Amino acid sequence: MVLELKCVSKTYGSVTALKDISFGVSKGAWISIMGPSGSGKTTLLNLIGCLDKPTSGQILLDGVEISKLSEKELTRIRREKIGFVFQQFHLVSHLTALENVMLAQYYHSMPDEEEALAALERVGLKDRACHLPSQLSGGEQQRVCIARALINYPSLILSDEPTGNLDEANEKAVIELFEELHQQGHTIIMVTHDPEIGALAERKLLLDHGQLMPR
Ligand SMILES: Nc1ncnc2c1ncn2[C@@H]1O[C@H](COP(=O)(O)OP(=O)(O)OP(=O)(O)O)[C@@H](O)[C@H]1O
Ligand SMILES: [Mg+2]
C-alpha cells in the first residue's frame, strides 16, 4: 500500500471539511476523487500531499505516519515522495520550460540539465525547452508541470483538476500523458469534475459534504 488513510478528519474552525475518511491506495493505482464544489476534494489532496495536517486520524505514506510530523519533516517528505500537478500551472514566468524543471531539481537535489531535458522529452516537449511559459500553449504548460512533478520519481502523483484550464485538444494531450504514466506504473490520484476523466481511473472516490460516499 502506497497510501493509507484511517479515520481522517479536518476541521477549519466550525467548518468540517473532511469527516472520518478511510481508504487505501495500492502502488500503480489510478484513483479519481470526485464530488460537488466544497465537498473537500482539495482539502483531501492537500492532506495527502503533506501541504496540511489532519485534525485527527492517521495518514500513512509508504508506511510512514505523516500526520504527526513537523513542518520541516513534511517538507522533506513532500519533496521526496510527491509530484504535484495543479489546475493553475504555477510556472515561473521569466524562466524557460527547462529552467522551470531545473528549479524543481534544485529543491529536490542538484540541478542537472540533461536529466531535466530528459523529463521534458518524456512529456514530448524537448523542442520547447527554451520557451517561456507565455510562449507555450496551456496544454504544453501543463506538460511542463508534469515533467516538473516527475523529477523526483515521486511515489504519488497528485493532481487537482489538471485539465480545468485547458481546451479540448490540450485536455486530450494531457490526459493521454497521464494514461502513459499510469501504464508505466506511476500511482495517480486525480481530482476532477469531469465524469469522462473520472471514469479513466480504476477507482472513484466520491466525496459529499466531507464524507466518502459508499459505492
Ligand atoms: N483554509 C480554509 N479555511 C477555512 N475553510 C476552508 C479552508 N479550506 C477549505 N475550507 C472549507 O472546506 C470545505 C472544503 O473545501 P475544498 O476546497 O476542499 O472543496 P473542493 O471539493 O475542493 O471544492 P472545489 O470543487 O470548489 O474546488 C469548504 O466548505 C471550504 O469552504
Ligand atoms: Mg478544490
PDB file of all heavy atoms in Angstrom, residues 50 100 135 187 201:
ATOM      1  N   CYS A  50       0.912  16.399   2.039  1.00  0.00           N
ATOM      2  CA  CYS A  50       1.707  16.984   3.136  1.00  0.00           C
ATOM      3  C   CYS A  50       1.735  18.505   3.074  1.00  0.00           C
ATOM      4  O   CYS A  50       2.701  19.138   3.520  1.00  0.00           O
ATOM      5  CB  CYS A  50       3.147  16.472   3.130  1.00  0.00           C
ATOM      6  SG  CYS A  50       3.294  14.713   3.249  1.00  0.00           S
ATOM      7  N   ASN A 100      12.364  25.874 -15.502  1.00  0.00           N
ATOM      8  CA  ASN A 100      11.305  25.560 -14.536  1.00  0.00           C
ATOM      9  C   ASN A 100      11.466  24.134 -13.999  1.00  0.00           C
ATOM     10  O   ASN A 100      11.276  23.896 -12.801  1.00  0.00           O
ATOM     11  CB  ASN A 100       9.927  25.738 -15.177  1.00  0.00           C
ATOM     12  CG  ASN A 100       9.340  27.117 -14.923  1.00  0.00           C
ATOM     13  OD1 ASN A 100       8.880  27.414 -13.823  1.00  0.00           O
ATOM     14  ND2 ASN A 100       9.389  27.969 -15.933  1.00  0.00           N
ATOM     15  N   GLN A 135       5.132  31.492 -24.084  1.00  0.00           N
ATOM     16  CA  GLN A 135       5.305  31.047 -25.473  1.00  0.00           C
ATOM     17  C   GLN A 135       4.816  29.612 -25.670  1.00  0.00           C
ATOM     18  O   GLN A 135       5.088  28.984 -26.686  1.00  0.00           O
ATOM     19  CB  GLN A 135       6.790  31.143 -25.853  1.00  0.00           C
ATOM     20  CG  GLN A 135       7.332  32.562 -25.775  1.00  0.00           C
ATOM     21  CD  GLN A 135       8.846  32.607 -25.845  1.00  0.00           C
ATOM     22  OE1 GLN A 135       9.525  31.670 -25.418  1.00  0.00           O
ATOM     23  NE2 GLN A 135       9.371  33.692 -26.372  1.00  0.00           N
ATOM     24  N   THR A 187       1.655   5.903  -9.585  1.00  0.00           N
ATOM     25  CA  THR A 187       0.420   5.948  -8.810  1.00  0.00           C
ATOM     26  C   THR A 187      -0.162   7.353  -8.919  1.00  0.00           C
ATOM     27  O   THR A 187       0.542   8.329  -8.658  1.00  0.00           O
ATOM     28  CB  THR A 187       0.711   5.618  -7.324  1.00  0.00           C
ATOM     29  OG1 THR A 187       1.524   4.439  -7.279  1.00  0.00           O
ATOM     30  CG2 THR A 187      -0.571   5.394  -6.545  1.00  0.00           C
ATOM     31  N   ALA A 201     -10.070   6.303 -14.267  1.00  0.00           N
ATOM     32  CA  ALA A 201      -9.446   5.719 -13.079  1.00  0.00           C
ATOM     33  C   ALA A 201     -10.036   4.347 -12.801  1.00  0.00           C
ATOM     34  O   ALA A 201     -11.165   4.057 -13.187  1.00  0.00           O
ATOM     35  CB  ALA A 201      -9.678   6.637 -11.884  1.00  0.00           C
TER      36      ALA A 201
END
